[in-house]
Amino acid sequence: MNQYDVLQKYFGHDSFRPGQETLVNAILTGHDVLGVMPTGAGKSVCYQVPAMLLPGLTLVISPLISLMQDQVAALRQSGIEAACIHSGMEEQEYWNIVQGARLGQYKLLYVAPERLETDGFLSLVSGIRVSLVAVDEAHCVSQWGQDFRPSYLRIASFLEKLSPRPPVGAFTATATGQVKQDIARLLELRDPVSITTGFDRPNLYFAVERPRDKDRFVEDYILDHPDKSGIVYCATRKTVELVCNQLRRAKIAATRYHAGLEAEERRKNQEDFVYDRRRVMVATNAFGMGIDKSNVGFVIHYNMPKNIENYYQEAGRAGRDGSSAECILLYSLGDVQTARFLIQNSHDNEELSEEQAVQIQRLDLQRLDRMVAYCKTTRCLRGFLLEYFGQRQTGNCGNCSNCRGDFVQTDITTEAQKILSGVARIEKRWPGGLGVVALVQMLRGSKDKNTLKRGLDTLPTYGIMQHTSPARMRLYLDALEEQGYIINTQGEYPVVRLAADAKEVLFNGKTVTMTERKAAEKSNKTSKTKEVGVQADLPQDLYERLRAVRSELAQKQHVPAYIILSNASLAEMASKRPRTTGDLMRISGVGEARAHRYGQKFLQAIAEYMAQHPQG
Ligand SMILES: [Zn+2]
């Protein structure tokens, strides 16, 4: 068997995807490799295919239990013997696996980095032949990366203890230039063959929205997409609870995930989502690493994440089976403050020294700035993301909210003057300043108790913007803050302040403009995208039947549906309608083990359909 046979037999693919072949061949000829590929591009195939051809065991170093378990489950479905060793394991289970590894039962063994230098593990690997070491999520080794894990720094000394040292492959989905250099240096890769494939995921639609009511937006979006499963990411546990409850009140099958829940509930909720019992997961960023669910149709960020690395990774959980999917970020100024607060108060990595922590905080704030820039940019969003990861893109992608939306520059000089003079009046009367709510109510001429009690109605600027909606006021205030005319102070009681540049507008008539999207068409174009973007002429009823067969099999096997087969594979099956097991194996993603194990059920469903639709 060669690498192409393995790819076909176990993974059901006719050909390698970009980058995979070079890395597979390099490993097979004994070279170290460094592969940077976006989520969904097929990183794992790069070491799983060589693992099947090399004589001994392939060790895969992976940071998360859930990630390992998912991979092992998928490998077993493909007919490959694999196991994992992690800290959550019973003693007996551990020894069974060690025993199995000694007897050569597995081709791949997944292990957490903390395990590597324990005596038990070292004595295990000294007695067996290790043909390849694959380091997954390799960016964790770098302090410049967003998930630095000091235990990754010990991988190099572990490798030294292996004799002979096997080829080493390092893989990650996100790495800027600096991080790539760090990976090669800190893992002590030897002249690695390095491939960075395109970061682009053409099937993902990217959007930044500034809805006046985020809750409404999320609820409407989900109700508008009744057969899509998706994730709503929130910045805090509290927001997760609020959003999840709201969706449930709207009769949406939603569940939730955050670190404040008991392990048992987390496990159950995750499973409900993965097994399609609940179609929406509302979660903090604690959710998702290691979730390989391929039929996620949308990822909404209710709050802006802390950096683009996290955003791209979280958004990238949509559309992994290649179907079209949407990634929508809901931006508001408050998110920037929350993110800054989280960065300044994060102590979640206790392995770090004081000095490391300070440096990391500085880098985190820089990364936050780029994230904010993404939310505000009017250029192509995909282009912005790709450039962040060092990939040039010229022109418009045509599949993001900026490329599809029409922008207009609105002259808001008059409004700006009114607002700024309102702030000036307030500062004069209350030198300590007032908050944004008081300002807006004063300008809009509100008659509420607080406004009147404070005497805001006696200012000459009271009510000068009474015909402007509160939402529109927000847009003006955002624009003025972004352009540096006003400042929202930090702290427990933020107040609005005039910035130095405000004088130019107030006294010298400087023009102020605001970039806004033409309201009319919005996302209707995108909300009608079909769940499966592969074939337009897809016989929907056959596809649904095949999905039903898959659900039945998944329930019997106690595995998530996508582990049996992806939506893309089902769609191809519905359109090509294979008649024999041989035909079935030619469907992308099927492979030999799956064809033999499940083939009959699918072939039967197709035959029945053909009998009822002789012309079809
Ligand atoms: Zn674009």
Short mmCIF file of all heavy atoms in Angstrom, two decimals, residues 302-334:
data_model
loop_
_atom_site.label_atom_id
_atom_site.label_comp_id
_atom_site.label_asym_id
_atom_site.label_seq_id
_atom_site.Cartn_x
_atom_site.Cartn_y
_atom_site.Cartn_z
N TYR A 302 -21.66 36.88 19.90
CA TYR A 302 -22.50 37.87 20.56
C TYR A 302 -21.63 39.01 21.07
O TYR A 302 -22.05 40.16 21.11
CB TYR A 302 -23.24 37.18 21.71
CG TYR A 302 -24.30 38.01 22.38
CD1 TYR A 302 -25.62 37.92 21.97
CD2 TYR A 302 -23.98 38.85 23.44
CE1 TYR A 302 -26.61 38.66 22.60
CE2 TYR A 302 -24.96 39.59 24.07
CZ TYR A 302 -26.27 39.50 23.65
OH TYR A 302 -27.23 40.24 24.27
N ASN A 303 -20.42 38.66 21.50
CA ASN A 303 -19.43 39.68 21.89
C ASN A 303 -18.17 39.49 21.07
O ASN A 303 -17.88 38.38 20.63
CB ASN A 303 -19.04 39.53 23.36
CG ASN A 303 -20.23 39.61 24.28
OD1 ASN A 303 -20.66 38.59 24.81
ND2 ASN A 303 -20.78 40.79 24.47
N MET A 304 -17.45 40.56 20.89
CA MET A 304 -16.21 40.50 20.16
C MET A 304 -15.17 39.70 20.96
O MET A 304 -15.01 39.95 22.15
CB MET A 304 -15.71 41.92 19.95
CG MET A 304 -14.47 42.02 19.12
SD MET A 304 -13.87 43.71 19.17
CE MET A 304 -13.27 43.79 20.85
N PRO A 305 -14.46 38.75 20.34
CA PRO A 305 -13.40 38.04 21.06
C PRO A 305 -12.19 38.93 21.32
O PRO A 305 -12.15 40.06 20.86
CB PRO A 305 -13.02 36.90 20.13
CG PRO A 305 -13.96 36.95 18.99
CD PRO A 305 -14.60 38.28 18.96
N LYS A 306 -11.21 38.37 22.03
CA LYS A 306 -10.05 39.17 22.43
C LYS A 306 -9.02 39.34 21.33
O LYS A 306 -8.22 40.26 21.37
CB LYS A 306 -9.35 38.50 23.63
CG LYS A 306 -10.09 38.70 24.93
CD LYS A 306 -9.29 38.14 26.09
CE LYS A 306 -9.16 36.63 25.97
NZ LYS A 306 -8.55 36.01 27.14
N ASN A 307 -9.01 38.43 20.38
CA ASN A 307 -8.04 38.56 19.30
C ASN A 307 -8.51 37.82 18.06
O ASN A 307 -9.44 37.02 18.10
CB ASN A 307 -6.65 38.08 19.74
CG ASN A 307 -6.70 36.66 20.25
OD1 ASN A 307 -7.17 35.76 19.57
ND2 ASN A 307 -6.22 36.45 21.47
N ILE A 308 -7.81 38.11 16.95
CA ILE A 308 -8.22 37.54 15.67
C ILE A 308 -7.91 36.05 15.60
O ILE A 308 -8.64 35.29 14.98
CB ILE A 308 -7.56 38.34 14.53
CG1 ILE A 308 -8.22 39.72 14.48
CG2 ILE A 308 -7.72 37.64 13.20
CD1 ILE A 308 -7.69 40.63 13.41
N GLU A 309 -6.85 35.63 16.27
CA GLU A 309 -6.56 34.19 16.31
C GLU A 309 -7.76 33.43 16.87
O GLU A 309 -8.22 32.45 16.28
CB GLU A 309 -5.34 33.88 17.19
CG GLU A 309 -4.00 34.25 16.58
CD GLU A 309 -3.58 35.67 16.93
OE1 GLU A 309 -4.46 36.48 17.34
OE2 GLU A 309 -2.39 35.98 16.79
N ASN A 310 -8.25 33.87 18.03
CA ASN A 310 -9.41 33.20 18.62
C ASN A 310 -10.63 33.32 17.72
O ASN A 310 -11.37 32.36 17.54
CB ASN A 310 -9.76 33.83 19.98
CG ASN A 310 -8.79 33.42 21.06
OD1 ASN A 310 -7.81 32.72 20.80
ND2 ASN A 310 -9.04 33.86 22.27
N TYR A 311 -10.81 34.51 17.17
CA TYR A 311 -11.99 34.69 16.33
C TYR A 311 -11.97 33.73 15.15
O TYR A 311 -12.95 33.05 14.87
CB TYR A 311 -12.12 36.13 15.83
CG TYR A 311 -13.36 36.25 14.96
CD1 TYR A 311 -14.62 36.03 15.52
CD2 TYR A 311 -13.28 36.49 13.60
CE1 TYR A 311 -15.76 36.06 14.74
CE2 TYR A 311 -14.42 36.52 12.81
CZ TYR A 311 -15.65 36.30 13.39
OH TYR A 311 -16.78 36.31 12.62
N TYR A 312 -10.84 33.67 14.47
CA TYR A 312 -10.79 32.85 13.26
C TYR A 312 -10.96 31.37 13.59
O TYR A 312 -11.57 30.62 12.85
CB TYR A 312 -9.49 33.09 12.50
CG TYR A 312 -9.60 32.77 11.03
CD1 TYR A 312 -10.52 33.45 10.23
CD2 TYR A 312 -8.81 31.80 10.44
CE1 TYR A 312 -10.64 33.16 8.88
CE2 TYR A 312 -8.92 31.51 9.09
CZ TYR A 312 -9.84 32.19 8.31
OH TYR A 312 -9.97 31.90 6.97
N GLN A 313 -10.41 30.99 14.74
CA GLN A 313 -10.54 29.60 15.13
C GLN A 313 -11.99 29.27 15.52
O GLN A 313 -12.53 28.24 15.12
CB GLN A 313 -9.61 29.32 16.31
CG GLN A 313 -9.32 27.86 16.48
CD GLN A 313 -7.96 27.65 17.12
OE1 GLN A 313 -7.61 28.34 18.07
NE2 GLN A 313 -7.19 26.73 16.61
N GLU A 314 -12.61 30.15 16.28
CA GLU A 314 -13.99 29.90 16.71
C GLU A 314 -14.95 29.97 15.52
O GLU A 314 -15.80 29.10 15.34
CB GLU A 314 -14.39 30.90 17.80
CG GLU A 314 -13.74 30.58 19.14
CD GLU A 314 -13.64 31.77 20.09
OE1 GLU A 314 -14.38 32.76 19.89
OE2 GLU A 314 -12.83 31.71 21.03
N ALA A 315 -14.79 31.00 14.71
CA ALA A 315 -15.64 31.14 13.53
C ALA A 315 -15.43 29.95 12.59
O ALA A 315 -16.37 29.46 11.96
CB ALA A 315 -15.33 32.44 12.81
N GLY A 316 -14.18 29.47 12.56
CA GLY A 316 -13.82 28.37 11.66
C GLY A 316 -14.49 27.05 12.01
O GLY A 316 -14.39 26.08 11.27
N ARG A 317 -15.18 27.00 13.15
CA ARG A 317 -15.90 25.76 13.49
C ARG A 317 -17.15 25.62 12.64
O ARG A 317 -17.79 24.58 12.63
CB ARG A 317 -16.25 25.75 14.97
CG ARG A 317 -14.99 25.79 15.78
CD ARG A 317 -15.08 25.33 17.20
NE ARG A 317 -13.70 25.28 17.68
CZ ARG A 317 -13.20 26.12 18.57
NH1 ARG A 317 -13.94 27.00 19.16
NH2 ARG A 317 -11.92 26.02 18.91
N ALA A 318 -17.50 26.67 11.92
CA ALA A 318 -18.63 26.58 10.99
C ALA A 318 -18.15 25.94 9.69
O ALA A 318 -17.00 26.09 9.30
CB ALA A 318 -19.19 27.97 10.72
N GLY A 319 -19.06 25.20 9.07
CA GLY A 319 -18.83 24.73 7.70
C GLY A 319 -17.64 23.82 7.49
O GLY A 319 -17.03 23.84 6.43
N ARG A 320 -17.31 22.99 8.45
CA ARG A 320 -16.14 22.14 8.28
C ARG A 320 -16.35 21.07 7.23
O ARG A 320 -15.39 20.50 6.72
CB ARG A 320 -15.74 21.52 9.61
CG ARG A 320 -15.50 22.61 10.59
CD ARG A 320 -14.53 22.36 11.64
NE ARG A 320 -13.56 21.32 11.43
CZ ARG A 320 -12.74 20.95 12.38
NH1 ARG A 320 -12.80 21.52 13.54
NH2 ARG A 320 -11.85 20.02 12.16
N ASP A 321 -17.60 20.75 6.93
CA ASP A 321 -17.82 19.75 5.88
C ASP A 321 -17.84 20.37 4.49
O ASP A 321 -18.14 19.71 3.52
CB ASP A 321 -19.13 18.99 6.15
CG ASP A 321 -20.34 19.92 6.15
OD1 ASP A 321 -20.16 21.13 5.95
OD2 ASP A 321 -21.45 19.42 6.35
N GLY A 322 -17.50 21.64 4.41
CA GLY A 322 -17.42 22.28 3.10
C GLY A 322 -18.72 22.93 2.65
O GLY A 322 -18.75 23.62 1.64
N SER A 323 -19.81 22.72 3.39
CA SER A 323 -21.06 23.39 3.04
C SER A 323 -20.96 24.87 3.37
O SER A 323 -20.18 25.26 4.24
CB SER A 323 -22.22 22.82 3.86
OG SER A 323 -22.23 21.42 3.80
N SER A 324 -21.79 25.69 2.72
CA SER A 324 -21.70 27.11 3.01
C SER A 324 -22.21 27.39 4.42
O SER A 324 -23.16 26.77 4.89
CB SER A 324 -22.50 27.92 1.98
OG SER A 324 -23.83 27.48 1.99
N ALA A 325 -21.55 28.30 5.11
CA ALA A 325 -21.89 28.59 6.50
C ALA A 325 -21.57 30.05 6.77
O ALA A 325 -20.84 30.68 5.99
CB ALA A 325 -21.08 27.69 7.42
N GLU A 326 -22.14 30.58 7.86
CA GLU A 326 -22.00 32.02 8.11
C GLU A 326 -21.34 32.30 9.46
O GLU A 326 -21.64 31.65 10.45
CB GLU A 326 -23.39 32.67 8.07
CG GLU A 326 -24.09 32.40 6.75
CD GLU A 326 -25.32 33.26 6.54
OE1 GLU A 326 -25.80 33.86 7.51
OE2 GLU A 326 -25.76 33.33 5.39
N CYS A 327 -20.46 33.29 9.46
CA CYS A 327 -19.75 33.69 10.68
C CYS A 327 -20.06 35.16 10.92
O CYS A 327 -19.60 36.02 10.17
CB CYS A 327 -18.25 33.53 10.50
SG CYS A 327 -17.81 31.92 9.87
N ILE A 328 -20.82 35.42 11.95
CA ILE A 328 -21.30 36.78 12.17
C ILE A 328 -20.81 37.31 13.50
O ILE A 328 -20.98 36.66 14.54
CB ILE A 328 -22.84 36.81 12.12
CG1 ILE A 328 -23.30 36.26 10.77
CG2 ILE A 328 -23.37 38.22 12.34
CD1 ILE A 328 -24.77 36.04 10.69
N LEU A 329 -20.19 38.45 13.47
CA LEU A 329 -19.69 39.05 14.71
C LEU A 329 -20.56 40.27 15.03
O LEU A 329 -20.72 41.15 14.20
CB LEU A 329 -18.23 39.46 14.51
CG LEU A 329 -17.40 39.75 15.76
CD1 LEU A 329 -15.92 39.73 15.40
CD2 LEU A 329 -17.73 41.08 16.38
N LEU A 330 -21.13 40.29 16.24
CA LEU A 330 -21.95 41.42 16.65
C LEU A 330 -21.07 42.36 17.46
O LEU A 330 -20.59 41.99 18.53
CB LEU A 330 -23.13 40.95 17.49
CG LEU A 330 -24.00 39.86 16.86
CD1 LEU A 330 -25.19 39.56 17.75
CD2 LEU A 330 -24.46 40.28 15.47
N TYR A 331 -20.86 43.53 16.92
CA TYR A 331 -19.92 44.45 17.55
C TYR A 331 -20.64 45.55 18.31
O TYR A 331 -21.63 46.09 17.85
CB TYR A 331 -19.02 45.07 16.47
CG TYR A 331 -18.13 46.16 16.98
CD1 TYR A 331 -16.99 45.85 17.73
CD2 TYR A 331 -18.41 47.50 16.71
CE1 TYR A 331 -16.16 46.85 18.20
CE2 TYR A 331 -17.57 48.51 17.18
CZ TYR A 331 -16.46 48.17 17.92
OH TYR A 331 -15.63 49.16 18.38
N SER A 332 -20.11 45.88 19.48
CA SER A 332 -20.53 47.10 20.15
C SER A 332 -19.35 47.62 20.95
O SER A 332 -18.45 46.85 21.31
CB SER A 332 -21.73 46.85 21.07
OG SER A 332 -21.31 46.09 22.18
N LEU A 333 -19.36 48.91 21.21
CA LEU A 333 -18.23 49.51 21.92
C LEU A 333 -18.01 48.88 23.29
O LEU A 333 -16.89 48.70 23.73
CB LEU A 333 -18.47 51.01 22.10
CG LEU A 333 -17.77 51.91 21.11
CD1 LEU A 333 -18.04 53.36 21.48
CD2 LEU A 333 -16.27 51.64 21.10
N GLY A 334 -19.10 48.52 23.95
CA GLY A 334 -18.99 47.91 25.27
C GLY A 334 -18.13 46.66 25.25
O GLY A 334 -17.44 46.35 26.22
#
